[in-house]
């Protein structure tokens, strides 16, 4: 399965990008995490620009989400909430609402911050935003605090506990994806058509 | 199986719903000021009355919901509400039908959004009525109130002046017209 990883920070030395690379490198067998690098190219959302064809970076984001089996977002926390660039990208991806690739898409959120609270508010807000866009959101977070001290020189998490928690989130996302795959490929004809209760209908 | 009390007069037989003359809807308070109504169509249902008792079964397709707003409809169908991808239908199966024609009580399992809970509906039974061209009809009119949060539909927004944008209690109302089979 393929998971699209998105780091919500543009900074070259981003802890969240580092976290995503760490998680991608330790993904379970059969799980590939592809890190999306196009966040900086996404223009500010303007409904006047939200036409067909979409701005190319936006079209690429929508296609990348559509092609992925799931989405894993690593978010920093700015002013107790989601970074604007990340929210902006989700806003583009969520439109038009009737055909967003986020509808029913398995999604999970992790995060990292140099502060002490592990970006938990930003993660909760990101989960809320993804759910509002129709995604199937894993109800877990990864409270990675003091991120500047959390990685070794090779970019690996030094805390076994955090590493296990990150693995738990990825595994929960993978399981959500697997369950969805089984459901979609096993779906019988809706019972309403196959087994009418009423003879007349 | 279901036991009927002797007060019930549901004529024996198997009764199939006439979907054109039936409806299944919901009513929920919105923004603290109005009743937001919607429904699902068609409704499929069957009523069986034998010596052993009376059973009522019904189902609707979630994607038949009457809301067509381009933002609200996908939200209702998403995992945050009905999760149509996992739960394509809302189903009901009675466990007990009791009372009288004017004071009918129907208890049963309502399965929706991945949860199945006991609900109790009250209402009326009318008929039988013979119709032109032959055929016999009866009709059930039933109302039940459920807490949507018990079904995992917890979405909520607080309003600036206090209160919640969408009530938790939802009134379910079905009007079922049945034809006697056979």
């Amino acid at each position: 399965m393929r998971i699209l990883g998105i780091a919500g920070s543009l900074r070259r030395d981003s802890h969240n990008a580092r976290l995503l690379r760490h998680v991608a490198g330790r993904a379970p067998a059969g799980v590939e995490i592809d890190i999306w690098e196009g966040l900086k190219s996404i223009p500010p959302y303007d409904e006047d620009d939200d036409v067909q064809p979409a701005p190319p970076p936006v079209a690429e984001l929508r296609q990348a989400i559509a092609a992925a089996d799931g989405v894993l977002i690593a978010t920093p926390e700015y002013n107790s909430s989601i970074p604007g660039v990340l929210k902006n990208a989700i806003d583009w991806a969520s439109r038009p609402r009737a055909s967003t690739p986020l509808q029913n898409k398995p999604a999970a959120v992790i995060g990292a911050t140099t502060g002490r609270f592990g970006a938990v508010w930003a993660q909760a807000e990101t989960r809320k935003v993804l759910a509002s866009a129709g995604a199937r959101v894993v109800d877990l977070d990864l409270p990675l605090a003091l991120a500047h001290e959390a990685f070794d020189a090779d970019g690996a998490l030094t805390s076994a506990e955090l590493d296990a928690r990150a693995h738990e989130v990825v595994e929960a996302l993978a399981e959500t994806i697997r369950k969805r795959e089984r459901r979609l490929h096993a779906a019988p004809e809706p019972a309403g058509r196959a087994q009418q209760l009423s003879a007349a209908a | 199986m279901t036991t009927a009390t002797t007060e019930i007069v549901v004529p024996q037989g198997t009764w199939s719903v006439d979907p054109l003359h039936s409806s299944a809807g919901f009513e929920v308070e919105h923004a603290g000021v109005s009743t937001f109504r919607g429904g699902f169509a068609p409704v499929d249902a069957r009523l069986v009355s034998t010596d052993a008792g009376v059973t009522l079964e019904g189902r609707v397709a979630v994607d038949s919901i009457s809301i067509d707003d381009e933002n609200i409809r996908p939200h209702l169908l998403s995992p945050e509400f009905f999760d149509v991808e996992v739960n394509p239908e809302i189903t009901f199966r009675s466990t007990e039908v009791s009372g009288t024609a004017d004071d009918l009580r129907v208890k049963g399992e309502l399965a929706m959004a991945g949860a199945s809970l006991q609900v109790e509906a009250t209402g009326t039974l009318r008929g039988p009525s013979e119709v032109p061209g032959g055929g016999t009809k009866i009709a059930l009119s039933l109302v039940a109130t459920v807490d949507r949060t018990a079904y995992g539909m917890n979405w909520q927004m607080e309003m600036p002046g206090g209160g919640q944008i969408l009530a938790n209690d939802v009134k379910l109302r079905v009007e079922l017209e049945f034809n006697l089979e056979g």
Side-chain angles (χ1 to χ4, degrees):
Chain A
M1 70 178 68
R2 288 183 51 244
I3 293 173
L4 185 70
I6 301 175
S9 165
L10 300 178
R11 190 169 72 94
R12 186 181 305 114
D13 205 28
S14 158
H15 297 300
N16 279 279
R18 186 172 294 114
L19 173 61
L20 265 188
R21 288 193 297 272
H22 168 85
V23 163
R26 280 161 166 66
V31 178
E32 192 183 309
I33 300 177
D34 298 328
I35 297 175
W36 185 64
E37 307 278 4
L39 187 61
K40 190 159 186 170
S41 310
I42 300 290
Y45 186 81
D46 181 339
E47 198 171 351
D48 292 339
D49 300 332
D50 193 0
V51 297
Q52 286 299 323
V58 170
E60 283 160 23
L61 173 61
R62 289 171 176 166
Q63 281 156 20
I65 294 172
D69 300 305
V71 175
L72 177 66
I73 293 182
T75 178
E77 187 166 286
Y78 300 164
N79 296 307
S80 307
S81 189
I82 319 178
V85 290
L86 176 61
K87 174 68 169 37
N88 182 61
I90 297 173
D91 290 343
W92 274 110
S94 71
R95 310 275 299 231
R97 187 65 184 84
S99 59
T100 170
L102 288 170
Q103 184 83 356
N104 293 310
K105 185 73 64 175
V109 184
I110 55 179
T113 172
T114 54
R116 293 186 175 276
F117 297 110
V120 290
W121 288 321
Q123 290 177 60
E125 299 254 310
T126 308
R127 289 198 302 276
K128 181 186 92 171
V129 167
L130 289 169
S132 182
R136 189 173 300 282
V137 185
V138 168
D139 192 18
L140 292 171
D141 64 10
L142 176 71
L144 203 168
L146 303 174
H148 51 294
E149 300 171 352
F151 298 90
D152 66 19
D154 296 323
L157 278 175
T158 55
S159 159
E161 188 185 329
L162 279 172
D163 190 34
R165 181 89 175 238
H167 180 81
E168 187 188 344
V169 176
V170 173
E171 183 49 46
L173 177 57
E175 183 57 22
T176 304
I177 292 169
R178 280 183 218 114
K179 274 189 186 164
R180 182 167 187 246
E181 289 295 303
R182 286 196 290 268
R183 203 162 49 229
L184 292 177
H185 291 121
E189 188 158 344
R193 287 201 283 275
Q195 300 163 31
Q196 293 287 343
L197 292 170
S198 57
Chain B
M1 284 298 291
T2 292
T3 352
T5 67
T6 53
E7 294 99 336
I8 288 293
V9 184
V10 178
Q12 292 215 350
T14 296
W15 301 82
S16 307
V17 82
D18 173 356
L20 177 61
H21 297 101
S22 301
S23 63
F26 60 85
E27 302 166 11
V28 57
E29 186 180 85
H30 182 256
V33 296
S34 73
T35 302
F36 173 42
R37 290 187 172 83
F40 303 88
V43 56
D44 186 19
R46 189 169 66 177
L47 184 66
V48 178
S49 176
T50 67
D51 286 336
V54 177
T55 56
L56 172 66
E57 295 176 281
R59 60 168 57 125
V60 294
V62 171
D63 65 6
S64 73
I65 194 168
S66 58
I67 311 303
D68 62 5
D69 177 88
E70 64 173 1
N71 291 305
I72 297 177
R73 179 185 168 82
H75 195 200
L76 291 174
L77 299 181
S78 81
E80 221 169 18
F81 277 93
F82 290 101
D83 198 355
V84 67
E85 196 180 73
V86 178
N87 314 292
E89 295 189 321
I90 298 170
T91 64
F92 177 79
R93 182 181 296 268
S94 68
T95 54
E96 182 182 317
V97 178
S98 63
T100 65
D102 290 329
D103 183 20
L104 196 67
R105 287 165 200 284
V106 178
K107 292 183 184 175
E109 288 283 319
L110 179 71
M112 178 170 67
S116 185
L117 300 171
Q118 270 278 318
V119 301
E120 181 169 340
T122 58
T124 59
L125 163 72
R126 296 178 65 189
S129 174
E130 304 298 320
V131 294
T136 308
K137 286 185 178 283
I138 59 173
L140 292 182
S141 176
L142 295 168
V143 173
T145 299
V146 299
D147 178 351
R148 64 181 173 91
T149 65
Y151 285 90
M153 295 192 225
N154 300 312
W155 181 89
Q156 190 53 270
M157 288 185 81
E158 303 300 319
M159 295 198 293
Q164 298 178 321
I165 195 73
L166 193 69
N168 291 341
D169 282 347
V170 180
K171 189 177 286 184
L172 306 175
R173 190 186 297 275
V174 294
E175 302 287 341
L176 303 173
E177 186 175 294
F178 292 95
N179 299 316
L180 182 63
E181 280 183 20

